[in-house]
Amino acid sequence: MLDLAFVRENVERVEEKLAERGVPGGLDSFRKVDLERRRLLTEVEALKNRRNRASEEIGKLKQQGVDVQDRIRETRTLSDEIKRLDEEVGKLDEELRQILENLPNMPHASVPIGSSPKQNREVRRWGEPRQFSFPPRPHWELGEALGILDLARAAKITGSRFAVYWDLGAKLERALANFMLDAHGREHGYREVLPPAIVNSASLFGTGNLPKFAGDLFHLENTDWWLSPTAEVPLTNLFRDEVLDAAELPIKLMAYTPCFRSEAGSYGKDTRGIIRQHQFQKVEMVKFAHPDTSHQELESLTNDAEAILQKLGLPYRVVLLCTGDMGFSSAKTYDLEVWLPHSGEYREISSCSNFESFQARRANIRFRTGGKGKSEFVHTLNGSGVAIGRTWIALVENYQQEDGSIVIPEVLRAYLDGAERITAEGRLVPK
RNA sequence: GGAGGAAUGGGUGAGUGGUUGAAACCGGCGGUCUUGAAAACCGUUAGCGUCGAAAGGCGCUCGGGGGUUCGAAUCCCCCUUCCUCCGCCA
């Protein structure tokens, strides 16, 4: 959420910035409602002042034993008028609140302007896509053939866009999680957290998922609970309504959690395989940073995610999203895209964003320097470090052999009882 | 799930209708004293909104929301969270 006073004082600049994001319509209704609200507010506050003085007076007179019936009657009329005006102000408050809550964040100056992913800017590449001496197969074929991935049975027990992993397929998922948590914990200084996978609407409001994007989420019937779409939500909200000490910043947290997305509106997209799932697991990194250094923190956060792909030997590129492709809450986002041989393209595997004070304002997360002075909103950041399901895909596809087996990268073997290769030998799954 | 109890400023904790936005203590900050420090003493110490060029007004805020009243931290209703006891349970 943007700051009310800031928007008021910079309406035109805000309008320009939002136009860059392709937000239709200007801020005319904002101007109108804001003005009218303030006009009414001064009016009703003047009346309240009169009422307060009158009440005080009545109290005094009553103690002196003076008859105050007339005074009371007058003041009652005043109170009625106040009540009426208060309701009007309330309506305008609500209108203004809705306008503000539905404005996306302003893009950082370094973000390229554009309306589609085509205007995203590739920042760097790492690794060379492997040259295959045979036609590489997609992960769903390899996985089913090896008996480590089972989409048919997942559809039976739950539905489409769910997966069952067997044997080394399941273990690989667990190995990846542990490998990533260890790397970020030991080498990058993130503290591990295990949060709830169900969150309330206040938390989702804080990160900017609600009220606008309820359709992307799973809602638990007759409750205020939702399945968390990413650990960003619980982690960021850990410090909701709290004041942190500047000396503690940056605070770096990570969590391995399931993530749930309704994927409404993506029918027909990525229908094969496990690219797009209703449930997937992810290691997520979240930072609470000082405003002065948050953009440096974004760079290092992105590097931390990249380190995972490098250790796994997976070719990727880093893309700076343009204004039109960024998420609602973000001021600047880098996507990491990993190379997928079956489609011969780079696909998103991590998204690293600086939200600046946008989420902090919504969630009321502040910091104070030396325990004194005025508190300020922190800057929040997060990034996938990285999405496990898609890493699983990338490994299977990039390390596939002509015989359909998968070579396990060196760094993961310790997490898989020393296994060097996944083969169909001894498969458990009935065909 | 059932029965009770609680929620006040950075902390502890007073306060059951009228100068209480809130005592007292602790903590924080500034000062006096001291070679320095401690102790002691004095002073100071909420947030948001709104008007104003400023100085400074004014309004709102005692878990959240509604109500009663000329007037609510105080009375009534609803909700949330926490605690205790009973039941159930991985």
Side-chain angles (χ1 to χ4, degrees), chain A residues 159-333:
Chain A
S160 67
R161 292 209 195 283
F162 285 89
V164 171
Y165 300 88
W166 297 80
D167 284 332
L168 274 176
K171 271 182 125 167
L172 178 57
E173 163 93 21
R174 182 156 59 89
L176 284 169
N178 284 332
F179 161 69
M180 291 179 196
L181 289 168
D182 285 347
H184 293 313
R186 290 172 188 158
E187 292 161 37
H188 306 146
Y190 292 80
R191 306 287 292 263
E192 189 165 344
V193 177
L194 200 164
I198 292 177
V199 292
N200 60 30
S201 52
S203 295
L204 287 160
F205 177 82
T207 41
N209 301 80
L210 287 181
K212 237 184 161 174
F213 306 100
D216 296 344
L217 306 167
F218 286 111
H219 185 211
L220 301 185
E221 208 170 356
N222 300 321
T223 69
D224 184 41
W225 289 345
W226 309 67
L227 299 186
S228 174
T230 158
E232 164 193 355
V233 179
L235 291 185
T236 304
N237 280 281
L238 281 173
F239 299 124
R240 169 147 51 88
D241 294 320
E242 293 191 33
V243 182
L244 304 167
D245 183 345
E248 299 173 324
L249 302 178
I251 296 173
K252 299 161 74 172
L253 307 177
M254 64 174 170
Y256 167 64
T257 68
C259 306
F260 300 92
R261 307 202 173 165
S262 77
E263 294 297 343
S266 65
Y267 312 110
K269 243 189 248 173
D270 302 312
T271 50
R272 311 288 317 264
I274 56 168
I275 287 267
R276 192 176 296 274
Q277 298 278 285
H278 288 306
Q279 176 190 339
F280 61 96
Q281 281 68 238
K282 180 156 67 72
V283 169
E284 182 77 3
M285 304 174 282
V286 165
K287 285 187 185 181
F288 301 85
H290 192 284
D292 292 348
T293 56
S294 70
H295 280 280
Q296 284 155 248
E297 294 293 342
L298 175 62
E299 297 303 319
S300 65
L301 177 76
T302 309
N303 293 155
D304 293 338
E306 288 179 69
I308 298 295
L309 299 180
Q310 291 175 11
K311 285 177 201 288
L312 292 173
L314 294 171
Y316 68 90
R317 61 175 188 170
V318 180
V319 170
L320 174 58
L321 297 192
C322 73
T323 52
D325 203 26
M326 276 196 311
F328 177 77
S329 303
S330 178
K332 183 173 184 176
T333 298

Side-chain angles (χ1 to χ4, degrees), chain A residues 93-112:
Chain A
D93 273 343
E94 176 67 11
E95 264 186 71
L96 201 60
R97 197 178 60 85
Q98 285 201 359
I99 292 171
L100 275 182
E101 283 174 3
N102 285 292
L103 292 180
N105 202 358
M106 304 213 303
H108 187 258
S110 60
V111 173

Side-chain angles (χ1 to χ4, degrees), chain A residues 352-410:
Chain A
C352 303
S353 303
N354 184 358
F355 305 92
E356 299 183 343
S357 59
F358 190 86
Q359 292 181 328
R361 192 171 290 108
R362 291 171 84 98
N364 188 28
I365 310 167
R366 293 167 294 160
F367 73 94
R368 211 195 308 268
T369 309
K372 56 184 171 184
K374 243 176 114 67
S375 61
E376 277 181 71
F377 290 116
V378 294
H379 281 195
T380 59
L381 301 89
N382 71 54
S384 347
V386 297
I388 307 242
R390 290 193 179 175
T391 309
W392 193 100
I393 295 172
L395 280 178
V396 167
E397 293 196 3
N398 280 285
Y399 284 94
Q400 65 178 294
Q401 307 300 306
E402 192 157 14
D403 64 1
S405 67
I406 314 292
V407 170
I408 296 167
E410 205 74 52

Side-chain angles (χ1 to χ4, degrees), chain A residues 39-51:
Chain A
R39 192 186 64 76
L40 272 179
L41 208 53
T42 28
E43 200 177 314
V44 72
E45 282 181 1
L47 291 183
K48 280 182 181 170
N49 179 234
R50 268 176 61 195
R51 180 190 62 189

Side-chain angles (χ1 to χ4, degrees), chain A residues 53-123:
Chain A
R53 287 177 191 290
S55 288
E56 215 173 290
E57 192 77 3
I58 287 170
K60 276 185 204 158
L61 292 174
K62 221 173 168 181
Q63 273 172 3
Q64 296 165 18
V66 180
D67 178 63
V68 288
Q69 280 316 305
D70 287 349
R71 296 273 198 148
I72 288 182
R73 209 169 303 119
E74 284 171 37
T75 313
R76 187 180 300 144
T77 323
L78 202 51
S79 274
D80 289 345
E81 177 67 1
I82 287 170
K83 191 177 251 182
R84 196 184 62 76
L85 281 174
D86 258 345
E87 271 169 32
E88 275 185 62
V89 171
K91 275 183 212 155
L92 293 172
D93 273 343
E94 176 67 11
E95 264 186 71
L96 201 60
R97 197 178 60 85
Q98 285 201 359
I99 292 171
L100 275 182
E101 283 174 3
N102 285 292
L103 292 180
N105 202 358
M106 304 213 303
H108 187 258
S110 60
V111 173
I113 297 171
S115 56
S116 88
K118 283 178 198 142
Q119 279 100 48
N120 293 344
R121 184 187 303 152
E122 184 176 308
V123 178

